[in-house]
Amino acid sequence: MKHFDFVGKRRIFISISVILVALSLVFIFTKGFNFGVEFLGGSELILRVESSNFTEADVRKILSDISTEFSSARVTRVRSVGDPEDIVKFSITLTKTFSAEEKADLQAKIESKVSERNIKGQVVSFNETGGSAAEEVRRLTWRAVIITLVAILVYITLRFNFVFGVGATLALVHDVVVTMGFFSIFSYELNVPAVAAFLTLIGYSLNNTIIVYDRIRENMKKFKGKEISFVVNDSINQVFRRTINTSLTTFFVVFVLLLFAGNAIKPFAFGMTIGTVVGTYSSIYIASPLVIRWVKNR
């Protein structure tokens, strides 16, 4: 198998990563995220319509006719396993909550507007997340991500040593920030499944990094006295085929999910599709070069 010079080009790839992280942070702090109802608070209705020709535009027209304040509602078509071809469902997200009477009134108006088109329609679910609940979900979510990263730092420090832990943690922060940047750039909905993708990505990328670190540790003992750059580069080459095969397998699975899965799981599939690529890249070009610098400087 061809022997690649990963380490020799590390400065170029670290520069690329710095640019990617900087661009991601610019988008995150200027454009922000398209938060889901779990983070913003509001209501989500599921409208079931017995007509395959009914579209998102029809739903938006109905909502605008009911009230102009609903004209900016987010409407997406959803599909459940086993749904007949002539049945379509739409998720309607509104950025406000309603009293019991208001909910009943809105539900009746939507169903009435659909029936005026000689089509049978029914609001099959009406879920709400209050402002304080949304704030708590947001706070607990970011806390879960931070605690996960700290736990990883401790775990890698105990298993290897502190610098390996710092290298792995920085690589994981890089992965999460860049993936979040893609969510911001493409205005993909950031909701609970998206956060699940971040946590899964952390575990996935960490697994790749540990495989490389394990091989580096073995080779540091085996090739004692050899230049650390040689040891690291040789270690990455030894596990490169395995890493690429594993990553491609995962990538194809989540990419197929992104193309064909329902809207409920698309944020997860999007996060994992981007994260698989970014995580594999960082395991090779970010986590390992940091080890080289530390070993040279100690």
Side-chain angles (χ1 to χ4, degrees):
M1 184 180 171
K2 186 176 178 181
H3 198 81
F4 296 98
D5 182 17
F6 296 106
V7 169
K9 299 178 176 59
R10 64 184 184 276
R11 288 185 177 81
I12 297 173
F13 288 102
I14 288 177
S15 300
I16 291 172
S17 285
V18 170
I19 293 170
L20 281 175
V21 170
L23 279 175
S24 298
L25 291 174
V26 167
F27 274 96
I28 289 169
F29 287 106
T30 56
K31 185 179 179 185
F33 295 111
N34 174 23
F35 284 115
V37 68
E38 303 98 323
F39 291 141
L40 286 178
S43 306
E44 183 186 37
L45 298 77
I46 300 296
L47 174 63
R48 181 180 185 274
V49 179
E50 296 183 10
S51 169
S52 57
N53 297 321
F54 214 78
T55 66
E56 288 96 332
D58 294 320
V59 179
R60 290 195 184 92
K61 177 71 170 55
I62 286 173
L63 292 170
S64 297
D65 290 344
I66 294 173
S67 172
T68 54
E69 71 174 316
F70 300 146
S71 58
S72 60
R74 187 164 64 228
V75 179
T76 53
R77 186 167 174 167
V78 296
R79 186 165 185 81
S80 304
V81 176
D83 278 349
E85 288 296 323
D86 59 341
I87 300 291
V88 291
K89 291 179 183 173
F90 299 93
S91 166
I92 303 168
T93 305
L94 305 170
T95 57
K96 65 175 289 188
T97 54
F98 301 86
S99 66
E101 293 77 15
E102 290 172 331
K103 286 169 68 173
D105 181 55
L106 177 59
Q107 184 172 333
K109 285 179 178 175
I110 292 174
E111 292 173 354
S112 172
K113 289 285 183 183
V114 175
S115 68
E116 287 176 7
R117 302 183 180 209
N118 296 320
I119 297 171
K120 190 174 180 181
Q122 183 183 11
V123 175
V124 292
S125 74
F126 199 134
N127 301 312
E128 291 182 324
T129 302
S132 57
E135 186 180 344
E136 186 171 1
V137 169
R138 225 171 23 239
R139 181 169 50 80
L140 293 176
T141 297
W142 299 128
R143 184 182 295 178
V145 173
I146 292 169
I147 289 174
T148 301
L149 291 173
V150 172
I152 287 170
L153 175 62
V154 173
Y155 167 70
I156 299 291
T157 301
L158 292 174
R159 179 164 174 173
F160 297 91
N161 60 42
F162 182 68
V163 72
F164 282 85
V166 172
T169 305
L170 287 177
L172 295 178
V173 170
H174 162 276
D175 299 343
V176 172
V177 171
V178 173
T179 306
M180 289 173 70
F182 273 89
F183 270 87
S184 177
I185 292 168
F186 292 100
S187 296
Y188 230 88
E189 183 176 341
L190 187 64
N191 53 13
V192 170
V195 175
F198 296 148
L199 295 175
T200 307
L201 162 64
I202 289 172
Y204 176 83
S205 182
L206 177 65
N207 185 53
N208 271 344
T209 303
I210 284 180
I211 289 169
V212 178
Y213 278 179
D214 260 334
R215 190 56 59 95
I216 291 174
R217 185 171 58 175
E218 288 173 14
N219 286 336
M220 284 175 75
K221 295 175 184 172
K222 187 176 176 183
F223 301 111
K224 206 165 184 177
K226 281 274 188 183
E227 176 70 25
I228 183 63
S229 302
F230 167 83
V231 174
V232 171
N233 197 61
D234 206 46
S235 303
I236 296 172
N237 272 283
Q238 288 173 17
V239 299
F240 183 64
R241 178 180 289 177
R242 178 192 183 285
T243 302
I244 293 300
N245 288 342
T246 306
S247 298
L248 281 177
T249 305
T250 308
F251 175 82
F252 286 130
V253 171
V254 292
F255 188 61
V256 168
L257 274 178
L258 179 63
L259 292 179
F260 300 109
N263 287 320
I265 204 168
K266 275 187 184 294
F268 176 84
F270 180 76
M272 282 303 296
T273 300
I274 301 297
T276 302
V277 177
V278 177
T280 304
Y281 160 80
S282 73
S283 298
I284 296 171
Y285 288 108
I286 304 301
S288 302
L290 290 172
V291 175
I292 293 175
R293 181 172 287 276
W294 179 78
V295 171
K296 280 185 173 179
N297 292 337
R298 69 179 175 174

